[in-house]
Amino acid sequence: MSTLGLAACKQTEFGFGDIITPSNLTVVADVIGVDANNPNGNGSGSVNIAAQAGQALSYKIDFGDGNSQMVPSGKVAYRYANPGTNEYVVSVNAIGTGGAMTTLSKKVKVFVAFEIPSNILTAMTGTGSKVW
């Protein structure tokens, strides 16, 4: 004996809501250690980036050196690593509902001092004899 049961399914409709593009996007990139003697920073390569826009849910920040990051708050501290004084274009996408975006770019010039890696420095200057 077999029993066959049928059940009625009620189709639920899902709404996405209004698609809202972020407005009034601003981007501030503060290079750490800028002063009269160090116009491109103190050599750390550190930059504080702050993005803000009306109706933004999150921000995607492209640092201009091949790296990018999703930043829900719009604020991030970033450290560039390429030694010397380099100029980068920081691009920020403010993301609204439905993936709608507003984009703004800003140039930033940063000085990164060259540092010998500690393991190499120790090998070259540490105790004991050296053969060159």
Side-chain angles (χ1 to χ4, degrees):
M1 180 160 127
S2 296
T3 305
L4 178 62
L6 296 175
C9 295
K10 181 178 179 182
Q11 183 176 356
T12 304
E13 291 187 31
F14 296 98
F16 193 73
D18 294 334
I19 294 177
I20 301 173
T21 302
S23 60
N24 302 317
L25 176 59
T26 60
V27 176
V28 176
D30 289 324
V31 178
I32 303 302
V34 170
D35 59 26
N37 295 323
N38 302 295
N40 301 309
N42 60 8
S44 69
S46 296
V47 179
N48 289 328
I49 299 170
Q52 185 175 1
Q55 304 298 322
L57 300 176
S58 190
Y59 301 86
K60 181 178 182 188
I61 301 176
D62 182 328
F63 301 103
D65 64 351
N67 294 307
S68 62
Q69 185 175 343
M70 290 298 292
V71 183
S73 69
K75 296 179 182 180
V76 65
Y78 187 74
R79 184 172 182 268
Y80 289 93
N82 193 19
T85 301
N86 298 288
E87 188 171 86
Y88 300 96
V89 176
V90 175
S91 296
V92 176
N93 292 321
I95 304 166
T97 59
M101 286 190 284
T102 300
T103 302
L104 184 64
S105 297
K106 183 177 187 92
K107 287 184 181 179
V108 62
K109 198 169 191 177
V110 182
F111 171 62
V112 176
F114 176 74
E115 294 180 21
I116 298 173
S118 62
N119 61 333
I120 294 174
L121 188 59
T122 300
M124 294 178 71
T125 62
T127 59
S129 65
K130 308 289 183 220
V131 178
W132 304 102

